Amino acid sequence: MQIAKTIKEVRTQVKTWKSEGLTVGLVPTMGYLHEGHGSLITRARKENDRVVVSVFVNPMQFGPGEDLESYPRDLEKDSAYCESLGADLIFHPEPEEMYTAGFCSYVDMSVLTEELCGLSRPVHFRGVCTVVNKLFNIVQPNRAYFGQKDAQQLAVIRRMVEDLNMDLEIVGCPIVREEDGLAKSSRNTYLSDEERAAALVLSKAVKLGEELVKAGERDAKKIVSEMSALIQKEPLARIDYVKAVDGLTMQQIDTVKSPMLVALAVFIGKTRLIDNFAV
Ligand code: PAF
């Protein structure tokens, strides 16, 4: 497995693969990989001749006061994990390689980014769309893989690909959870033992919401309020949002429909965690 730090190295390698008629799958990540990322790499491995994993903590998608500096990093461990899953290349650029002096071009999206995480993280999706667009241009993958845990991100990327006529397939993969239900996240490492136990309230709320839908509840506001009430019982939890939205537009809805996304962001201590379920 090759580790490339420059755009030129990636382009040269991908060009060779493409000239041999091989397909390329891309798994964009910010590193500190866990089994959630592992499931994306494994799926990419099954569906493509070559697999590229990008490991880049993208400064552009972090707002002031967010965890850019403290975001966990461990390239050595990530490399061993990628290799064990059969990845062919890791793209691990420095920020200066991605954002050269004078950089001033962005991919900005309205509507979908103005709800949910976009409200509390106003620059986030501009950073995500811009870097993902750059990664697509650099790697030119046939398919790119994203987790359903970041459901709004997945919807935003699908919209961007559609709107800007990008020639690749976006593959969304199911949330991977710890045995007790907590959704896998690189940010789980921030949690103390007490916070780790409290964080279970997110997946419990998701389970409650899913059960209500299964039992035939059609009032989306009632589902959201029951989930919120459950979270509020946990003293270490502070709700950022719990919302039911249209699964494509991310606009709030009052009645259960398909596709629908019920998404939540909750602070456990200082750590902001997200979870969701889709209908
Ligand atoms: O989901 C992530 O890890 C990031 O937002 C992504 C898609 C790699 C872009 O930096």
Side-chain angles (χ1 to χ4, degrees), residues 28-30 37 54 56 58 61 71 124 127-128 131-132 135 146 150 153 157:
T29 81
M30 297 207 300
H37 300 110
S54 62
F56 178 58
N58 173 34
Q61 69 190 72
Y71 197 86
H124 178 66
V128 169
V131 81
V132 168
L135 290 168
F146 296 90
D150 295 293
Q153 169 173 280
I157 289 165

Coordinates of all heavy atoms in Angstrom, one line a residue, residues 28-30 37 54 56 58 61 71 124 127-128 131-132 135 146 150 153 157, ligand 1:
P28 N -13.3 9.1 1.6 CA -12.7 10.3 2.2 C -12.9 10.2 3.7 O -14.0 9.9 4.2 CB -13.6 11.4 1.7 CG -14.4 10.8 0.6 CD -14.5 9.4 0.9
T29 N -11.8 10.5 4.5 CA -11.9 10.4 5.9 C -11.0 11.6 6.5 O -10.2 12.2 5.8 CB -11.4 9.1 6.5 OG1 -9.9 9.2 6.6 CG2 -11.8 7.9 5.7
M30 N -11.2 11.8 7.8 CA -10.3 12.7 8.5 C -9.4 11.9 9.5 O -8.8 12.4 10.4 CB -11.1 13.7 9.4 CG -11.9 14.6 8.4 SD -12.3 16.2 9.1 CE -13.2 15.8 10.6
H37 N -15.4 3.6 9.5 CA -14.6 3.8 8.3 C -14.3 2.4 7.7 O -14.3 2.3 6.4 CB -13.3 4.5 8.6 CG -13.4 5.8 9.3 ND1 -13.1 6.1 10.6 CD2 -13.8 7.0 8.8 CE1 -13.3 7.4 10.9 NE2 -13.8 8.0 9.8
S54 N -8.6 8.8 1.7 CA -7.9 10.0 2.0 C -8.0 10.3 3.5 O -9.0 10.0 4.2 CB -8.6 11.2 1.3 OG -9.9 11.4 1.6
F56 N -7.3 13.3 5.9 CA -7.0 14.7 5.9 C -8.0 15.5 6.9 O -9.2 15.5 6.6 CB -7.2 15.3 4.5 CG -6.9 16.8 4.4 CD1 -5.7 17.3 4.8 CD2 -7.9 17.7 3.9 CE1 -5.5 18.7 4.7 CE2 -7.7 19.0 3.8 CZ -6.4 19.6 4.2
N58 N -9.5 18.4 7.7 CA -9.8 19.5 6.8 C -10.0 20.8 7.6 O -11.2 21.0 8.1 CB -11.0 19.2 5.9 CG -11.4 20.4 5.0 OD1 -10.6 21.2 4.6 ND2 -12.7 20.5 4.8
Q61 N -13.5 23.0 7.4 CA -14.8 22.6 7.9 C -15.0 22.8 9.4 O -16.0 22.4 9.9 CB -15.2 21.2 7.4 CG -14.4 20.1 8.1 CD -14.6 18.7 7.4 OE1 -14.2 18.5 6.3 NE2 -15.4 17.9 8.0
Y71 N -8.4 17.5 17.3 CA -9.0 16.3 16.6 C -7.9 15.2 16.6 O -6.8 15.4 16.3 CB -9.4 16.7 15.2 CG -10.3 15.7 14.6 CD1 -11.7 15.8 14.8 CD2 -9.8 14.6 13.8 CE1 -12.5 14.8 14.3 CE2 -10.7 13.7 13.3 CZ -12.0 13.8 13.5 OH -12.9 12.8 13.0
H124 N -19.3 24.9 8.3 CA -19.0 23.4 8.1 C -19.2 22.9 6.7 O -18.2 22.3 6.1 CB -19.8 22.6 9.2 CG -19.5 21.2 9.1 ND1 -18.3 20.6 9.4 CD2 -20.4 20.1 8.7 CE1 -18.4 19.3 9.3 NE2 -19.6 19.0 8.9
G127 N -16.9 24.0 3.9 CA -15.6 23.3 4.0 C -15.7 21.9 3.5 O -14.8 21.4 2.8
V128 N -16.8 21.2 3.9 CA -17.0 19.8 3.5 C -17.1 19.7 1.9 O -16.4 19.0 1.2 CB -18.2 19.1 4.1 CG1 -18.5 17.8 3.5 CG2 -17.9 19.0 5.6
V131 N -13.8 20.6 0.1 CA -12.7 19.6 0.2 C -13.1 18.3 -0.6 O -12.3 17.7 -1.3 CB -12.3 19.3 1.6 CG1 -13.2 18.3 2.3 CG2 -10.8 18.8 1.6
V132 N -14.4 17.9 -0.5 CA -14.8 16.7 -1.1 C -14.8 16.9 -2.7 O -14.3 16.0 -3.4 CB -16.3 16.3 -0.7 CG1 -16.8 15.2 -1.5 CG2 -16.2 15.8 0.8
L135 N -11.2 16.6 -3.6 CA -10.8 15.1 -3.5 C -11.3 14.4 -4.8 O -10.6 13.6 -5.4 CB -11.3 14.5 -2.2 CG -10.6 14.9 -1.0 CD1 -11.3 14.4 0.3 CD2 -9.1 14.5 -0.9
F146 N -19.5 7.1 1.8 CA -19.8 8.0 3.0 C -20.7 7.3 4.0 O -21.6 6.5 3.5 CB -20.4 9.3 2.6 CG -19.5 10.2 1.7 CD1 -19.6 10.0 0.3 CD2 -18.6 11.1 2.2 CE1 -18.7 10.7 -0.5 CE2 -17.8 11.8 1.4 CZ -17.9 11.7 0.0
D150 N -23.3 10.6 9.3 CA -23.3 12.0 8.9 C -24.4 12.1 7.8 O -24.0 12.4 6.7 CB -21.9 12.4 8.4 CG -20.9 12.3 9.5 OD1 -21.0 13.1 10.5 OD2 -20.0 11.5 9.5
Q153 N -24.5 15.3 5.8 CA -23.4 15.4 4.9 C -23.6 14.5 3.7 O -23.3 15.0 2.5 CB -22.1 14.9 5.7 CG -20.9 14.7 4.8 CD -19.7 14.4 5.6 OE1 -19.0 15.3 6.1 NE2 -19.3 13.2 5.7
I157 N -23.8 15.9 -0.1 CA -22.8 15.5 -1.2 C -23.6 14.9 -2.3 O -23.3 15.2 -3.5 CB -21.8 14.5 -0.6 CG1 -20.8 15.3 0.3 CG2 -21.0 13.8 -1.7 CD1 -20.0 14.5 1.2
Ligands
PAF1 O1 -16.9 12.9 7.2 C1 -15.7 13.3 7.3 O2 -14.9 12.6 7.9 C2 -15.4 14.6 6.6 O3 -16.4 15.5 6.7 C3 -15.0 14.4 5.1 C4 -16.1 13.8 4.3 C5 -13.8 13.4 5.0 C6 -14.5 15.7 4.5 O4 -13.5 16.2 5.2

